[in-house]
Amino acid sequence: MTDMFPDPDEDWRPRLRRLLLDIDARIDSAIFQSGKWTREIYERFTAFMDRAHVAGWRRWLLVEPFSEAATLGTGGLLLLLALAIPSFRQTSDDDWLKKSDLAVTFLDRYGNEVGSRGIKHTESVPLEDFPDQLIKAVLATEDRRFYEHFGIDVQGIFRAFVTNTQAGGVVQGGSTITQQLAKNLFLSNERTYERKINEAFLALWLEAHLSKNEILKLYLDRAYLGGGSYGVDAAARYYFGKSVRDLNLAEAAMIAGLFKAPTKFSPLVNLPAARARANVVLDNLVENGFMSEGQVYGARRNPATPIDRAVEDAPNYYLDWAFDEMRRIADTLPKSVTSRSFVVRTALDSNLQHYAEREAEAELRQYGRDYGASQVAVVIGDLDGGVRAMVGGRDYGASQFNRAVDALRQPGSSFKPYVYATALASGQFTPQSIVVDSPVCIGNWCPHNYSGGYSGSMTLTQAITNSVNIIPVKLSIALGDGNPKLGRAKIVQTARNFGIYTPLPDTPSLPIGADEVNVVEHAVAYATFPNLGKAVAPHAALEVRTGTGDLVWRFDRDGKKPEQVISPKVALDMIGMMNSVVQNGTGRRAQLDGIQVSGKTGTTNGYRDAWFVGYTGNFSGAVWMGNDDYQPTKRMTGGTIPALIWHNVMAYAHQGVELRPLPGLPPPQHAPTVADKDLQGAPAPQQILLTRKGTEALVRVERLLDEARRALPPPGVPPGPLGALERQNGVTTQTAASEQPSANGN
């Protein structure tokens, strides 16, 4: 009866079993059919490939090379893409063009305009206003196929390769205008394969995002053409005193010749070379069919002549450095600051800058040949890190390479104060601690003193005064408790804390100054001592305002704050020890009449670098002398011409300022005598400067004026009841530009 009348609640189980069996069967069938079809497809593919089978010499001549090329090519493309990723990250910002669009007018610390850098794209000369002959001259010389290639000129690269191979050297480049623009906008000038790869990828990116005319316009506006001028319009005004619109063919050819090497072909540096280069540009115009020989004949017969700039004395090394700093500041400004045109008041003292330039050149001219030195760098800074003067070389027109910022040179014994400061800070030593000048070796390296002998027992003060090499090496061993590597790590950390950010590789000779530093960091790092252990950062900008006068950045508010890196006690001890160097040791020529000076000389192996770095209660500064090609001098030491230049520049810097004593030192009892009077410079002219209190008063007045300006009603709305009535009625009046309040605070 149960089978004839099943329970309805148990009827679903057989149906579920049948459903599961059906699904299982279907899955098995699908797997079987898939395997069958896979075999059939594979057999058909094998049969098809058998038809294309190549064996014997055809395989090794045709198939294998193609396969290897495809494999290597794919790997190469992946490698290039990996190398290009860092460059593409620079274009990830939608405002990449705006960021490169920066115009800065620089003022000195007293509000006098001293120069400008950059160009604002929206305010530059339109491309259609450029002379046709200038555009043709640039294209014929820099990139004759500019309107035909896609950013990389393969034909041009091959042509340059053949030409250079035939000439046995580099006589022709293969970079396009787009590639050069990519380098100017995003990359540095380092000569590496990575940069060239990034440059090529960025050129393709620019071609995809900008038109040819936009690329050409940016290139003509951004290229550096010497004399602190960026862009052809600035170059036309600098070299010929006219707008780019008014250039004739001869002048256009001379400017087009500057793109390759603005220093080498500058008409203000080498007029014959500039004219010869302009003649090459004229040849290019004819050879590439842009002009006929008859059209360029007049320019050949009447070459361009630049205006005389000999009387101008712009602080170009300083401005280049300040412009780089302003780029970094602009990137930190809030997004509400949309302006890309700024007015920057710097720490520059124009009088001191001009004197430092003249003094450095005068001493080089008088003693450079005798000592075998051809270059000099000078940096003078406030104790808050503001750089008042910077000499980056003897002639900016001949070389724009800034030796005060970009050159890395061994500091020699001028690095030793960081070693002694580390030793005093450790608590193991005092200035009167007795150390022994005796032979020491670290591995196979055994240092020697300048004199060649050993002096036995002495105090730390005597060791730094006489610039003994053995003692800093022994201190590095003691600081590491017998492990010199650990001791050197502590010394490097001290130098970092003071503000030395250049690479300092760990070598046994690091304590005696075998690693490299730059002049500006070294000069300002010494300010840590008179600041009683507070390190400051070198800077140019004091205030940044937009073109309309709005204050958007101020160093005392937004800049890097002083940082306590050593105790005041250690700083006072170091001031006394380094004062002994000037009073009794190798730095006697740096003595100043009536002003206490502490400092340190530095001379490297082979006499390649000579330094004097020192400070007073008002300023710190450094002087370096040597040669760009690292050729040794003729036994020049830091206590000779570098100390003399430092003395003369500092003597001028202290005129007309409120003198502050060095902490921990008594005022000088009498005017010291400078050694070797035959090396003394002429008396410095009287410098007319405001006192520190006067400068602070002017700054306070300027801030009050700025606050009052912000409190005024918006332009076009008069103050008082009338202004309120007009605002209520929706009426405004346009104030004339000449009636606008002054925004620069001067």
Side-chain angles (χ1 to χ4, degrees), residues 419-435:
V419 181
Y420 286 97
T422 307
L424 296 182
S426 70
Q428 304 177 49
F429 300 91
T430 70
Q432 301 307 316
S433 295
I434 301 299
V435 289

Side-chain angles (χ1 to χ4, degrees), residues 68-386:
E68 293 297 328
T71 302
L72 295 175
T74 302
L77 288 175
L78 292 175
L79 177 61
L80 291 177
L81 183 59
L83 293 174
I85 288 176
S87 293
F88 285 143
R89 287 174 180 166
Q90 300 185 49
T91 66
S92 59
D93 195 331
D94 293 336
D95 294 333
W96 65 271
L97 184 55
K98 181 181 176 182
K99 286 187 175 182
S100 67
D101 187 19
L102 186 66
V104 184
T105 299
F106 291 102
L107 312 177
D108 67 8
R109 66 186 302 107
Y110 305 113
N112 305 306
E113 184 173 337
V114 292
S116 61
R117 287 292 185 271
I119 182 171
K120 190 165 180 61
H121 183 54
T122 57
E123 298 175 358
S124 62
V125 178
L127 185 63
E128 55 268 21
D129 290 349
F130 280 55
D132 183 63
Q133 57 224 22
L134 173 65
I135 294 177
K136 288 180 177 178
V138 172
L139 293 178
T141 305
E142 296 298 313
D143 190 356
R144 66 191 70 176
R145 300 183 64 253
F146 173 70
Y147 283 98
E148 300 172 19
H149 60 66
F150 53 89
I152 301 174
D153 188 3
V154 179
Q155 180 178 328
I157 293 174
F158 179 75
R159 182 182 62 249
F161 174 78
V162 173
T163 303
N164 295 335
T165 302
Q166 293 175 345
V170 180
V171 290
Q172 190 176 107
S175 293
T176 64
I177 282 179
T178 313
Q179 288 175 272
Q180 295 179 55
L181 176 62
K183 181 185 70 174
N184 293 339
L185 290 178
F186 301 109
L187 305 173
S188 66
N189 289 321
E190 61 178 350
R191 295 185 175 183
T192 63
Y193 289 112
E194 182 180 358
R195 195 218 78 190
K196 293 297 293 184
I197 293 171
N198 293 337
E199 181 183 289
F201 275 93
L202 286 170
L204 297 175
W205 188 88
L206 287 173
E207 290 278 347
H209 288 77
L210 300 175
S211 67
K212 285 289 187 179
N213 284 347
E214 288 174 329
I215 292 173
L216 180 60
K217 178 64 169 57
L218 284 172
Y219 177 70
L220 294 175
D221 281 347
R222 296 300 195 276
Y224 179 73
L225 297 175
S229 58
Y230 288 81
V232 292
D233 187 54
R237 297 181 186 279
Y238 179 73
Y239 293 113
F240 303 113
K242 62 176 70 173
S243 170
V244 67
R245 297 178 174 92
D246 303 322
L247 292 179
N248 59 39
L249 178 58
E251 294 164 344
M254 187 168 286
I255 286 183
L258 293 172
F259 285 89
K260 181 178 182 180
T263 299
K264 180 179 179 180
F265 297 120
S266 170
L268 299 180
V269 176
N270 192 336
L271 184 57
R275 286 177 170 172
R277 175 63 178 169
N279 204 48
V280 172
V281 174
L282 296 175
D283 290 340
N284 293 335
L285 282 169
V286 176
E287 291 175 4
N288 292 284
F290 288 102
M291 287 186 177
S292 66
E293 183 61 40
Q295 289 175 302
V296 304
Y297 179 76
R300 293 189 194 276
R301 292 295 303 271
N302 300 287
T305 301
I307 61 176
D308 187 10
R309 293 280 183 182
V311 297
E312 297 189 4
D313 204 12
N316 286 309
Y317 288 117
Y318 191 104
L319 295 181
D320 287 349
W321 176 64
F323 187 56
D324 289 339
E325 180 183 292
M326 186 56 214
R327 288 180 188 272
R328 295 190 293 271
I329 292 175
D331 290 340
T332 66
L333 295 177
K335 293 185 177 180
S336 59
V337 180
T338 58
S339 174
R340 300 297 291 176
S341 180
F342 299 97
V343 178
V344 178
R345 185 166 70 88
T346 67
L348 175 71
D349 183 332
S350 295
N351 291 334
L352 180 60
Q353 174 71 28
H354 294 157
Y355 183 82
E357 291 173 351
R358 292 194 297 269
E359 170 63 21
E361 174 60 25
E363 301 302 337
L364 261 181
R365 189 172 297 172
Q366 183 171 0
Y367 301 111
R369 180 172 298 179
D370 295 337
Y371 279 98
S374 61
Q375 280 298 346
V376 62
V378 181
V379 172
I380 305 296
D382 294 326
L383 296 189
D384 65 359

Side-chain angles (χ1 to χ4, degrees), residues 506-638:
D506 182 16
T507 60
S509 55
L510 177 141
I512 58 176
D515 287 352
E516 296 176 327
V517 301
N518 66 39
V519 180
V520 66
E521 289 181 357
H522 204 23
V524 176
Y526 266 43
T528 305
F529 299 118
N531 284 334
L532 295 181
K534 291 184 177 180
V536 294
H539 61 275
L542 298 180
E543 290 183 349
V544 177
R545 296 178 182 268
T546 63
T548 58
D550 295 324
L551 181 66
V552 295
W553 189 91
R554 199 170 67 208
F555 178 78
D556 59 357
R557 182 189 67 195
D558 307 305
K560 184 177 180 180
K561 302 300 185 289
E563 181 180 354
Q564 193 80 41
V565 296
I566 56 173
S567 69
K569 176 63 168 61
V570 171
L572 288 172
D573 288 342
M574 288 300 303
I575 290 173
M577 293 168 64
M578 297 172 73
N579 178 254
S580 179
V581 175
V582 176
Q583 295 296 326
N584 310 306
T586 57
R588 291 187 179 91
R589 285 198 183 92
Q591 295 174 5
L592 295 172
D593 292 344
I595 302 172
Q596 289 282 23
V597 175
S598 294
K600 188 69 188 76
T601 58
T603 309
T604 61
N605 286 340
Y607 300 95
R608 287 180 172 83
D609 304 280
W611 295 74
F612 184 83
V613 191
Y615 50 89
T616 68
N618 293 82
F619 306 108
S620 67
V623 176
W624 165 87
M625 295 186 73
N627 297 300
D628 286 340
D629 58 2
Y630 292 90
Q631 287 297 312
T633 64
K634 298 176 182 178
R635 301 183 69 84
M636 173 183 282
T637 64

